[in-house]
Amino acid sequence: MEKFVINGGNALKGTVKISGAKNAAVAILPAVLLSDSPCTVENLPEISDVSTILKSMSALGADIKAINKSSVVIDPRPVKSYVVTKEMAEGMRASSYFLGALLGRTHHARVAPPGGCDFGVRPIDQHIKGFEALGAKVIIESGMVDAKAKALYGSSVYLDKVSVGATINIMLAAVKAKGLTVIENAAREPHIVDLANFLNSMGANIMGAGTGVIKIRGVENLHGTVYSIIPDQIEAGTYMVAAAATGGDVLVENVTPKHLESIIAKLVEAGATVNEYDEAIRVSMKKPPKKCNIQTMPHPGFPTDMQPQIATFLAIAEGTSIITEGVWDNRFRYVDQLTLMGADIQVDGKMAVITGVKGLKGAPVKAVDLRAGAAMVIAGLMASGITEITEIDHIDRGYERLTEKLSALGAQIKRVVVPKPSSNLKQA
Ligand code: EPZ
């Protein structure tokens, strides 16, 4: 087991390059199973969620060859199995995408229920609603979700809640269904558009991705393609907030500024200087942030996956800020850890009231989930003194070469092995 040790108080300065988007990669890789020939996927981030998905695909029988550290060629033709076990899925949320991909491929999928960050309940009722609308029978038996269909027919599906996962899974099941599928109240995140572009490059016929209504006209076959994943909106946002929170000056390269509009707006409202370029954003800040209120919402609203990071930044704002979590039931579990570092945050249900303090102090804390872990790193960079962060495997799920990228910006951060507690039981 490892931990991060951060000696805080250094302003981040310099340039950081953003990697491929985790939430696009974990949807596009399973989508390769729908192809009748090999696909090349480029700009994959080197993160554990991607290696988990690739391991699952190889266990299903796919032939996977790495071209370099961020590109693979996947031949799905040898895939015979349609079963993704709990061990294969390793408790990640995106394993649910194998349901839509395998159902779309051979009309049968048997997948362990998805895991992922713990924000309270993470149901898949909208995914199942979509599969059933396309003609599948879905049952949950012996701890597995089993979706089966004689054939899949296009249909209209209205999502009761805007759901990224359900939108993605229905797209995967519908691309080869007979006829037209319309997803209404669809999610509009950049990774939804990236998946639609990937599928269309394989010969799919998807219109409207990025809007609330996505139309999918089923096609007989999908062929191989070469495709490069979009930059990671949340990794970019995390470095932008870290730059402002440490009073630094950072050029964040390899980004799509359009995906960052809500994050830029809030940083500017808090008093940061933000310059936009074609594929880069520069963030600098010299004084403490001003308070601001934030409501997280589905895209194009302020992303829930940036909520812990921006809350950490506002912990040292002048005045009181209010953050309302509009997507998840319980995404403030990290607040207890921030309090250990001197933050003054009161949580009441989906609302956090943040009373700004002069500064945070280093302390031993833990990453309770992926983005909470990123927030702890930002807190450690902002704080005076030493911060140790354990359970960093959460962070490794979504941030490529974090210590390397931060050290290049002047951060004093290192990864240290946590010695196993010595058993003091005398040998019998
Ligand atoms: C995706 O999760 C992301 N994960 C999450 O990012 C992100 O927080 C979330 O979308 C919202 O943007 C991946 O893309 C792998 P949802 P997902 O379905 O698809 C409810 C990260 O940090 N809901 O959009 O699971 C659900 O409970 C991770 O990278 C239902 O009620 O999220 C939630 O309240 C953390 N029924 C809301 O909808 C369903 O069938 C949004 O969930 C599905 C969802």
Side-chain angles (χ1 to χ4, degrees), residues 34 40 85 89 102 157 191 194 200 209 220 233 236 243 281 318 331 372 376:
L34 293 160
T40 301
T85 62
L102 290 166
V157 189
H191 27 292
D194 210 26
N200 283 341
E220 282 287 303
Q233 166 202 38
I281 302 275
E318 288 164 344
R331 193 173 194 163
M376 292 302 114

Side-chain angles (χ1 to χ4, degrees), residues 275-343:
N275 297 97
E276 270 187 53
Y277 305 96
D278 286 350
E279 296 183 340
I281 302 275
R282 181 173 173 184
V283 177
S284 62
M285 190 146 200
K286 296 280 165 285
K287 48 197 186 318
K290 290 182 277 192
K291 70 175 177 69
C292 59
N293 298 332
I294 293 172
Q295 153 94 36
T296 69
M297 286 184 283
H299 192 76
F302 190 89
T304 174
D305 293 346
M306 281 299 302
Q307 185 257 85
Q309 299 93 310
I310 201 89
T312 303
F313 170 51
L314 294 172
I316 59 165
E318 288 164 344
T320 298
S321 308
I322 295 177
I323 292 189
T324 310
E325 172 53 50
V327 175
W328 295 106
D329 292 339
N330 172 18
R331 193 173 194 163
F332 289 117
R333 291 190 311 129
Y334 64 91
V335 167
D336 293 347
Q337 302 298 312
L338 271 187
T339 307
L340 295 176
M341 299 178 70

Side-chain angles (χ1 to χ4, degrees), residues 22-24 26-27 49 92-97 114-129 159-168 187 189 191 232-234 297-299 303-306 309 325-329 331 350 369-372 397-399:
K22 165 179 95 77
N23 291 345
V26 298
D49 269 12
M92 58 181 287
R93 182 71 183 166
S95 55
S96 66
Y97 298 150
C117 300
D118 174 9
F119 305 139
V121 285
R122 291 189 78 172
I124 58 166
D125 57 300
Q126 299 298 303
H127 303 231
I128 293 170
K129 175 180 179 180
L159 293 181
D160 301 319
K161 276 195 97 164
V162 175
S163 161
V164 166
T167 304
I168 287 174
E189 272 68 8
H191 27 292
D232 194 312
Q233 166 202 38
I234 305 302
M297 286 184 283
H299 192 76
T304 174
D305 293 346
M306 281 299 302
Q309 299 93 310
E325 172 53 50
V327 175
W328 295 106
D329 292 339
R331 193 173 194 163
K350 292 195 167 192
D369 63 54
L370 163 58
R371 305 303 174 183
R397 286 187 46 217
Y399 288 90

